[in-house]
Amino acid sequence: MNKKNIEQNAGITVLFLCLGTVALILVVILWDIFTKGAGKISWAFLTQMPKNGMTEGGIFPAIIGTFLVTLMTALFAVPLGMGCAIYLNEYARDNRFTRLIRMSIRNLSGVPSIVYGLFGVVLFVQLMRIGTCILSAGMTLGLMTLPWTITASEEALKNVPQAYRSGALALGATKWQSIRTNVLPYAIPGMLTGTILGLARAAGETAPILFTGAAFFLPFLPESLFDQFMALPYHLYIMATQHHDIEGVRPIAYGTALVLIVLVFSMNLFAIILRYKLRKVRKE
Amino acid sequence: MQKLKERSVNRKTGKSQNGNGEPAGPGAAKGKKMGEIVIRTEGFNFYYGDEIAIKSVTMDIYKNKVTGIIGPSGCGKSTFLRSLNRMNDVIDGTRIEGKVEIDGQDIYAPGVDVVSLRRKVGMVFQKSNPFPKTIFENVAYGLRINGVKDRAYISDKVEASLKGAALWKEVKDRLNDSAFDLSGGQQQRLCIARALAIEPEVILMDEPASALDPTATLKIEELIEELKNDYTIAIVTHNMQQAARISDYTAFFMLGELVEYDETSKMFTNPGKKITEDYITGRFG
Ligand SMILES: Nc1ncnc2c1ncn2[C@@H]1O[C@H](COP(=O)(O)OP(=O)(O)OP(=O)(O)O)[C@@H](O)[C@H]1O
Ligand SMILES: [Mg+2]
C-alpha cells in the first residue's frame, strides 16, 4: 500500500470513529432509558395521580399538563408564526429593514431557553399579571417556538412556485386571493412540518415553564388555563434531582423519561412522515 | 369556435398618429386605415430600478389581429408584454414613464383597478403554469375568484373555454384528473382555456410554444389563428417562421426600442430597415 492509500484509510477510520461514538452515545442513552423505564410503564402508571409524596402512583397529571401546555404553545405560536411568515414572504419588500428582522428571528432561535423563561416571568406573569399558569407557560414556550415556526413557514412558502402566484394574478385575482387559494393550500403542510418539530422541542423544555406555571406537585388536575400544572420534563427533573428519596423514585423517573421521549419522538416521526408524503406529492 | 361573449363595442377609434407626429403603427405612415386600436402606448419607458428596459415605445395594437413581437434575447419583449397588464407591478423597484392606453383608458393612471385590468387583458406564460388542481378547477379558477357561484354556469363556461382552446375533445372524460397529468402542449392549451374562461378582450402570450414540440406548436398556432376572431392577441416569439405564419403585424424590438413595426408581410419581405432584415434573416440574434 502506498502512502496516499494509508492516509485515505486512516482518514476514513477517524471519521467513522466519530460517527460511531455519536451513534454509540445515543444508543446507550436510549437503551438505558428503555430498559430501566419500560418495566415501569403500565396503564396505571399512565393514568394515575402520584401517591405518597410521589413515591408511588402514576404520572397522569404530568402527561395532561404537558399536553395542555403544548396545545397552548401551538395555539399561540402557529397562527402568529404563520401570519408573520406570510407577511414577510408575500408582502414585505426585500430591504434592509426586513433583512434585519429576518436575521433577528434567526438569532432568536439560538437564545437559551432559560432566557425565554425569565422573559416570560417578567412579561406574562408580572407585567401582564396573568400569574403562573398554563397560559403564561404556553405563551412563553410559544415565544420560544416562534422563530422555528416563522422560519419553517417562510421556507414552505418559498417552495410554492412563483408561477402559481403570477398565474392567479394574471387571472384577476387580488394578491390575497392568490395567496389564499393558490399559495397557502400548498404551503400549509410544509408549514406544519416545521412547526411540529418546534412544538416537539417545546414539549421537552423545562426552563421556560419553571417559573411561569409548572408546579412541583398538584393533587388535582388543572381546571382552567389560569391554573398551574405538572409537566413531564419538570416532573423528570424533580424526580431525578429534587425528590427526598431520589434513589427510591428512580424507576418513576425512568418511566417519565421514557414517556417524554416517546412523545417527542412520535411528534418528530409524524413531522417526518408528513414531509415525506409531501415530497411524493410534489414530484407527481 | 364558439363565441364566448358578445362584447359591447364601444371603443374609441384611436388615431394612428401620436403627439410627435411619429408613426405609431404600421399603416400610419401611409395613412392607411388599420382598424380599431385596442392598445396604444405612447413614449413608454420602463425601468427596473435605474436600468431602463423599454425606451420610448409608441405602438398601436389592433383589434382582432395577431401582433407578433420579435427581437433578440433581453431586448425587452417580455417586459413590454407584462407592462400591458401591469404584471410588472409585482416586481420591486420598477417604474414607468409615458402612457399605455387600453380602450382609450390610461392603465397606469392613479386609481385604475389593476384586478379588473387583468381580467380584461389575459396572459399566457412562456412556461405553462397549470395550478396543482384538477383540469376542471384550473379553468374554473378565474370564475371562482371573481365570485361566480352558479355551478351550471361554471361548468358550461369550462366546457366552452376548453372547446375554445381546442382541448375539450382530449380532456372531456378526465376533467377531474390532475392538470399535471396532461402533456406539455395540453397544459399550455389548458392555460389558454383558463385565460379564456374570464372573457378577456386581449390575450398576451409570451413565447407560448417555446417549450413544445413541433406538433404541439402547430396546434397552438392553429388555435391562435382561431382565437383572433374573438380576441386581440399580442404574442412574443423567438421563432421567425412562427411570427411570419401567425401574426398580422410584427414589431421588432432591439435593446428596449421598437425598431420597426409593420404588417407582417411587409416586415418579412421588404423591411424598412437594414437591421430588421439582418435579424429576420438570422444574421444575428
Ligand atoms: N425582474 C427583473 N429585474 C431586473 N431586470 C430585469 C428583470 N427582468 C428582466 N430584466 C432585464 O430587462 C431586460 C429585458 O428583459 P426581458 O425579459 O423583457 O427580455 P426578453 O426580450 O423577453 O428576452 P428573452 O427573449 O430572453 O425572453 C433584460 O436586460 C433583463 O436583464
Ligand atoms: Mg422573454
Side-chain angles (χ1 to χ4, degrees), chain B residues 13-37 39-42 58-62 249 261:
Chain B
T13 313
K15 281 172 283 162
S16 300
Q17 298 282 137
N18 65 17
N20 318 322
E22 284 274 322
K30 294 168 255 159
K32 229 200 297 184
K33 175 113 177 65
M34 302 303 300
E36 211 176 305
I37 295 169
I39 302 179
R40 116 167 300 176
T41 74
E42 249 179 64
T58 296
M59 177 174 168
D60 292 345
I61 291 176
Y62 298 94
Y249 300 104
Y261 180 34

Short mmCIF file of all heavy atoms in Angstrom, two decimals, chain B residues 13-37 39-42 58-62 249 261:
data_model
loop_
_atom_site.label_atom_id
_atom_site.label_comp_id
_atom_site.label_asym_id
_atom_site.label_seq_id
_atom_site.Cartn_x
_atom_site.Cartn_y
_atom_site.Cartn_z
N THR B 13 -62.12 54.88 -31.52
CA THR B 13 -61.23 54.54 -32.62
C THR B 13 -60.08 55.52 -32.55
O THR B 13 -60.21 56.69 -32.92
CB THR B 13 -61.95 54.67 -33.96
OG1 THR B 13 -63.20 54.01 -33.83
CG2 THR B 13 -61.17 54.02 -35.06
N GLY B 14 -58.95 55.03 -32.06
CA GLY B 14 -57.82 55.93 -31.85
C GLY B 14 -57.21 56.34 -33.18
O GLY B 14 -57.35 55.68 -34.20
N LYS B 15 -56.54 57.44 -33.15
CA LYS B 15 -55.85 57.88 -34.36
C LYS B 15 -54.49 57.20 -34.43
O LYS B 15 -53.94 56.77 -33.42
CB LYS B 15 -55.66 59.40 -34.33
CG LYS B 15 -56.92 60.14 -34.71
CD LYS B 15 -56.73 61.63 -34.47
CE LYS B 15 -56.86 61.91 -32.98
NZ LYS B 15 -56.33 63.15 -32.53
N SER B 16 -53.97 57.10 -35.59
CA SER B 16 -52.72 56.40 -35.76
C SER B 16 -51.52 57.33 -35.64
O SER B 16 -50.40 56.97 -35.93
CB SER B 16 -52.67 55.71 -37.12
OG SER B 16 -53.72 54.80 -37.17
N GLN B 17 -51.75 58.55 -35.24
CA GLN B 17 -50.64 59.48 -35.06
C GLN B 17 -50.54 59.81 -33.58
O GLN B 17 -51.53 59.98 -32.91
CB GLN B 17 -50.93 60.79 -35.81
CG GLN B 17 -51.10 60.65 -37.30
CD GLN B 17 -49.77 60.51 -38.02
OE1 GLN B 17 -49.63 59.71 -38.89
NE2 GLN B 17 -48.79 61.29 -37.62
N ASN B 18 -49.35 59.90 -33.08
CA ASN B 18 -49.22 60.37 -31.71
C ASN B 18 -48.83 61.84 -31.73
O ASN B 18 -48.76 62.47 -32.79
CB ASN B 18 -48.22 59.53 -30.93
CG ASN B 18 -46.82 59.65 -31.47
OD1 ASN B 18 -46.52 60.58 -32.21
ND2 ASN B 18 -45.97 58.72 -31.11
N GLY B 19 -48.56 62.37 -30.54
CA GLY B 19 -48.32 63.80 -30.41
C GLY B 19 -47.15 64.30 -31.26
O GLY B 19 -47.19 65.40 -31.81
N ASN B 20 -46.11 63.48 -31.38
CA ASN B 20 -44.93 63.95 -32.08
C ASN B 20 -45.05 63.82 -33.60
O ASN B 20 -44.12 64.14 -34.32
CB ASN B 20 -43.70 63.16 -31.64
CG ASN B 20 -43.68 62.94 -30.15
OD1 ASN B 20 -44.06 63.82 -29.40
ND2 ASN B 20 -43.26 61.77 -29.72
N GLY B 21 -46.13 63.28 -34.03
CA GLY B 21 -46.26 63.06 -35.45
C GLY B 21 -45.46 61.87 -35.93
O GLY B 21 -45.31 61.63 -37.12
N GLU B 22 -44.91 61.10 -34.97
CA GLU B 22 -44.19 59.88 -35.31
C GLU B 22 -45.19 58.82 -35.74
O GLU B 22 -46.29 58.74 -35.21
CB GLU B 22 -43.44 59.36 -34.08
CG GLU B 22 -42.19 60.13 -33.76
CD GLU B 22 -41.00 59.62 -34.54
OE1 GLU B 22 -40.93 58.40 -34.72
OE2 GLU B 22 -40.19 60.45 -34.99
N PRO B 23 -44.81 57.94 -36.61
CA PRO B 23 -45.72 56.85 -36.95
C PRO B 23 -45.92 55.94 -35.75
O PRO B 23 -44.94 55.50 -35.16
CB PRO B 23 -45.03 56.10 -38.09
CG PRO B 23 -43.61 56.53 -38.04
CD PRO B 23 -43.57 57.89 -37.42
N ALA B 24 -47.18 55.75 -35.35
CA ALA B 24 -47.45 54.94 -34.18
C ALA B 24 -47.67 53.50 -34.58
O ALA B 24 -47.46 52.59 -33.81
CB ALA B 24 -48.67 55.46 -33.46
N GLY B 25 -48.09 53.28 -35.77
CA GLY B 25 -48.37 51.91 -36.15
C GLY B 25 -48.08 51.71 -37.61
O GLY B 25 -47.68 52.64 -38.31
N PRO B 26 -48.27 50.49 -38.05
CA PRO B 26 -47.89 50.09 -39.39
C PRO B 26 -48.47 50.98 -40.47
O PRO B 26 -47.75 51.47 -41.33
CB PRO B 26 -48.47 48.69 -39.52
CG PRO B 26 -48.66 48.20 -38.15
CD PRO B 26 -48.84 49.39 -37.28
N GLY B 27 -49.75 51.23 -40.43
CA GLY B 27 -50.34 51.95 -41.55
C GLY B 27 -50.15 53.44 -41.47
O GLY B 27 -50.43 54.17 -42.42
N ALA B 28 -49.68 53.87 -40.30
CA ALA B 28 -49.70 55.29 -40.01
C ALA B 28 -48.99 56.13 -41.08
O ALA B 28 -49.53 57.11 -41.56
CB ALA B 28 -49.07 55.54 -38.66
N ALA B 29 -47.80 55.67 -41.42
CA ALA B 29 -47.00 56.47 -42.34
C ALA B 29 -47.71 56.64 -43.67
O ALA B 29 -47.63 57.68 -44.30
CB ALA B 29 -45.65 55.81 -42.55
N LYS B 30 -48.42 55.58 -44.06
CA LYS B 30 -49.08 55.64 -45.36
C LYS B 30 -50.50 56.18 -45.24
O LYS B 30 -51.18 56.34 -46.24
CB LYS B 30 -49.13 54.23 -45.96
CG LYS B 30 -47.76 53.69 -46.31
CD LYS B 30 -47.82 52.21 -46.62
CE LYS B 30 -47.27 51.40 -45.48
NZ LYS B 30 -47.69 50.04 -45.46
N GLY B 31 -50.91 56.44 -43.99
CA GLY B 31 -52.25 56.98 -43.80
C GLY B 31 -53.33 55.95 -44.09
O GLY B 31 -54.48 56.28 -44.32
N LYS B 32 -52.94 54.68 -44.08
CA LYS B 32 -53.92 53.63 -44.35
C LYS B 32 -54.82 53.42 -43.15
O LYS B 32 -54.41 53.60 -42.01
CB LYS B 32 -53.16 52.32 -44.63
CG LYS B 32 -53.66 51.64 -45.90
CD LYS B 32 -53.33 50.17 -45.95
CE LYS B 32 -51.86 49.82 -45.97
NZ LYS B 32 -51.62 48.39 -46.11
N LYS B 33 -56.04 53.03 -43.35
CA LYS B 33 -56.93 52.74 -42.23
C LYS B 33 -56.64 51.32 -41.75
O LYS B 33 -56.71 50.36 -42.52
CB LYS B 33 -58.38 52.87 -42.70
CG LYS B 33 -59.40 52.47 -41.66
CD LYS B 33 -60.21 53.69 -41.19
CE LYS B 33 -61.30 53.29 -40.19
NZ LYS B 33 -60.80 52.77 -38.93
N MET B 34 -56.26 51.21 -40.46
CA MET B 34 -55.77 49.94 -39.97
C MET B 34 -56.76 49.20 -39.10
O MET B 34 -56.46 48.16 -38.58
CB MET B 34 -54.49 50.14 -39.15
CG MET B 34 -53.39 50.82 -39.89
SD MET B 34 -52.94 49.96 -41.40
CE MET B 34 -52.44 48.39 -40.71
N GLY B 35 -57.89 49.74 -38.86
CA GLY B 35 -58.82 49.09 -37.95
C GLY B 35 -58.74 49.68 -36.57
O GLY B 35 -57.98 50.62 -36.33
N GLU B 36 -59.52 49.12 -35.70
CA GLU B 36 -59.70 49.68 -34.39
C GLU B 36 -58.48 49.43 -33.50
O GLU B 36 -57.96 48.33 -33.45
CB GLU B 36 -60.91 48.99 -33.77
CG GLU B 36 -61.68 49.84 -32.82
CD GLU B 36 -62.90 49.08 -32.35
OE1 GLU B 36 -63.68 48.61 -33.21
OE2 GLU B 36 -63.02 48.91 -31.14
N ILE B 37 -58.07 50.46 -32.78
CA ILE B 37 -56.94 50.29 -31.87
C ILE B 37 -57.44 49.86 -30.50
O ILE B 37 -58.36 50.46 -29.96
CB ILE B 37 -56.16 51.61 -31.74
CG1 ILE B 37 -55.53 51.97 -33.09
CG2 ILE B 37 -55.10 51.51 -30.66
CD1 ILE B 37 -54.98 53.36 -33.13
N ILE B 39 -54.95 48.66 -27.94
CA ILE B 39 -53.89 49.09 -27.02
C ILE B 39 -53.04 50.12 -27.73
O ILE B 39 -52.72 49.96 -28.91
CB ILE B 39 -52.98 47.91 -26.61
CG1 ILE B 39 -53.81 46.81 -25.95
CG2 ILE B 39 -51.87 48.38 -25.68
CD1 ILE B 39 -53.00 45.61 -25.54
N ARG B 40 -52.71 51.16 -27.01
CA ARG B 40 -51.80 52.14 -27.60
C ARG B 40 -50.81 52.57 -26.54
O ARG B 40 -51.18 52.91 -25.42
CB ARG B 40 -52.59 53.30 -28.18
CG ARG B 40 -52.37 54.64 -27.56
CD ARG B 40 -52.95 55.73 -28.41
NE ARG B 40 -52.33 55.73 -29.73
CZ ARG B 40 -52.70 56.54 -30.71
NH1 ARG B 40 -53.69 57.37 -30.54
NH2 ARG B 40 -52.07 56.51 -31.85
N THR B 41 -49.54 52.50 -26.87
CA THR B 41 -48.55 53.02 -25.94
C THR B 41 -47.98 54.28 -26.54
O THR B 41 -47.88 54.41 -27.75
CB THR B 41 -47.40 52.02 -25.67
OG1 THR B 41 -46.56 51.98 -26.82
CG2 THR B 41 -47.93 50.64 -25.38
N GLU B 42 -47.63 55.20 -25.65
CA GLU B 42 -47.09 56.47 -26.12
C GLU B 42 -45.86 56.83 -25.32
O GLU B 42 -45.93 56.97 -24.10
CB GLU B 42 -48.15 57.56 -25.93
CG GLU B 42 -48.70 58.07 -27.25
CD GLU B 42 -49.76 59.13 -27.01
OE1 GLU B 42 -49.40 60.19 -26.45
OE2 GLU B 42 -50.92 58.87 -27.34
N THR B 58 -43.69 53.73 -28.82
CA THR B 58 -45.01 54.21 -29.22
C THR B 58 -45.55 53.21 -30.23
O THR B 58 -44.95 52.98 -31.27
CB THR B 58 -44.91 55.60 -29.85
OG1 THR B 58 -44.43 56.50 -28.84
CG2 THR B 58 -46.26 56.08 -30.34
N MET B 59 -46.64 52.59 -29.89
CA MET B 59 -47.09 51.46 -30.69
C MET B 59 -48.58 51.24 -30.50
O MET B 59 -49.10 51.34 -29.40
CB MET B 59 -46.30 50.23 -30.22
CG MET B 59 -46.67 48.93 -30.88
SD MET B 59 -45.51 47.66 -30.32
CE MET B 59 -46.36 46.21 -30.92
N ASP B 60 -49.27 50.92 -31.58
CA ASP B 60 -50.70 50.60 -31.51
C ASP B 60 -50.91 49.12 -31.77
O ASP B 60 -50.26 48.54 -32.62
CB ASP B 60 -51.47 51.37 -32.58
CG ASP B 60 -51.49 52.86 -32.30
OD1 ASP B 60 -51.17 53.24 -31.15
OD2 ASP B 60 -51.80 53.64 -33.21
N ILE B 61 -51.82 48.54 -31.05
CA ILE B 61 -52.16 47.14 -31.27
C ILE B 61 -53.63 47.08 -31.66
O ILE B 61 -54.48 47.69 -31.00
CB ILE B 61 -51.85 46.30 -30.02
CG1 ILE B 61 -50.33 46.25 -29.83
CG2 ILE B 61 -52.42 44.89 -30.14
CD1 ILE B 61 -49.88 45.55 -28.58
N TYR B 62 -53.90 46.36 -32.75
CA TYR B 62 -55.22 46.43 -33.36
C TYR B 62 -56.14 45.28 -32.95
O TYR B 62 -55.69 44.17 -32.71
CB TYR B 62 -55.08 46.47 -34.89
CG TYR B 62 -54.32 47.68 -35.34
CD1 TYR B 62 -52.94 47.61 -35.54
CD2 TYR B 62 -54.97 48.89 -35.49
CE1 TYR B 62 -52.24 48.73 -35.91
CE2 TYR B 62 -54.27 50.02 -35.87
CZ TYR B 62 -52.89 49.94 -36.07
OH TYR B 62 -52.20 51.05 -36.42
N TYR B 249 -49.40 41.58 -37.76
CA TYR B 249 -48.41 42.65 -37.65
C TYR B 249 -47.22 42.12 -36.88
O TYR B 249 -47.37 41.23 -36.04
CB TYR B 249 -48.99 43.85 -36.90
CG TYR B 249 -50.19 44.42 -37.60
CD1 TYR B 249 -51.47 44.18 -37.10
CD2 TYR B 249 -50.06 45.18 -38.75
CE1 TYR B 249 -52.58 44.67 -37.75
CE2 TYR B 249 -51.17 45.68 -39.40
CZ TYR B 249 -52.42 45.41 -38.90
OH TYR B 249 -53.51 45.90 -39.55
N TYR B 261 -42.12 48.39 -37.04
CA TYR B 261 -43.41 47.79 -36.76
C TYR B 261 -44.25 47.93 -38.01
O TYR B 261 -44.46 49.04 -38.51
CB TYR B 261 -44.07 48.54 -35.58
CG TYR B 261 -45.42 48.04 -35.17
CD1 TYR B 261 -45.75 46.67 -35.24
CD2 TYR B 261 -46.38 48.91 -34.68
CE1 TYR B 261 -46.99 46.22 -34.84
CE2 TYR B 261 -47.63 48.47 -34.26
CZ TYR B 261 -47.93 47.12 -34.36
OH TYR B 261 -49.16 46.67 -33.96
#
